Amino acid sequence: VEMVKTLYSILHRSLDLTSMSENILRYSKVLGISSIINKKSNFLFLSDLKKISGTQFHKLVICYKIAYIKEIEKFLGISLPIILDSPSGREVTKENLDKIYELLASELKENQIIIASIYKNPYLSSPCMIELNEEEKIFGISDSVLFK
């Protein structure tokens, strides 16, 4: 608990929480979930996200991740990467996934975006895409050995 209070204190002094809150609200409007955020409360440091479920939860997490990245970048003066593991595997429809990818592409133009997914998306283009297929090996070991 003490460590959380210290972290909150550092973040509160170092980052522009108003800007972060505004970004979360803006991103939530883009993703169609602004109604789940209580604008009158201090929603920035929600502790009970379990009340939000399914697709809404995952879209809200994306809003928070992008907003935190943008504010930390301003503080550090560098671009940060974002890593998403199988964003399509969490009750998220293709339409919602497209909205998420479009938001990532528009807000993180200069960032490295790493997505582990079985689907390609037209909103994110990359000069470097690593594709694995059934014949590919991880660390020189076939997946049949790794996943017995």
Side-chain angles (χ1 to χ4, degrees):
V1 174
E2 193 60 38
M3 188 169 86
V4 171
K5 288 180 184 178
T6 303
L7 179 60
Y8 176 81
S9 176
I10 292 168
L11 284 172
H12 194 275
R13 286 179 296 185
S14 304
L15 302 177
D16 183 351
L17 299 182
T18 301
S19 174
M20 196 175 336
S21 297
E22 289 169 355
N23 282 338
I24 291 170
L25 284 173
R26 186 166 53 86
Y27 303 151
S28 69
K29 286 177 186 172
V30 170
L31 296 181
I33 57 166
S34 60
S35 62
I36 66 172
I37 296 177
N38 182 353
K39 295 162 192 74
K40 293 179 183 175
S41 72
N42 184 8
F43 67 87
L44 193 57
F45 295 102
L46 289 175
S47 61
D48 196 10
L49 290 177
K50 299 284 184 206
K51 290 181 181 178
I52 303 166
S53 63
T55 299
Q56 288 186 329
F57 173 78
H58 297 292
K59 291 194 301 188
L60 184 61
V61 168
I62 293 294
C63 295
Y64 271 74
K65 284 182 177 185
I66 296 172
Y68 278 116
I69 285 172
K70 298 297 272 184
E71 289 307 313
I72 292 170
E73 285 179 344
K74 283 195 274 185
F75 179 72
L76 296 176
I78 60 171
S79 291
L80 297 173
I82 184 168
I83 301 170
L84 302 175
D85 184 16
S86 304
S88 59
R90 296 185 171 100
E91 305 173 24
V92 181
T93 65
K94 183 182 178 333
E95 179 183 329
N96 284 319
L97 194 57
D98 285 346
K99 288 180 185 178
I100 290 169
Y101 285 163
E102 189 173 10
L103 181 63
L104 287 167
S106 68
E107 292 299 316
L108 301 175
K109 292 178 183 136
E110 302 300 319
N111 300 66
Q112 183 179 26
I113 302 171
I114 301 168
I115 300 174
S117 179
I118 59 173
Y119 302 108
K120 291 184 183 177
N121 190 282
Y123 296 105
L124 298 172
S125 61
S126 172
C128 179
M129 185 171 299
I130 301 169
E131 294 185 51
L132 298 177
N133 56 40
E134 290 181 26
E135 291 81 36
E136 297 293 331
K137 295 179 180 180
I138 299 173
F139 306 116
I141 304 169
S142 70
D143 62 350
S144 61
V145 173
L146 288 174
F147 303 107
K148 281 187 179 180

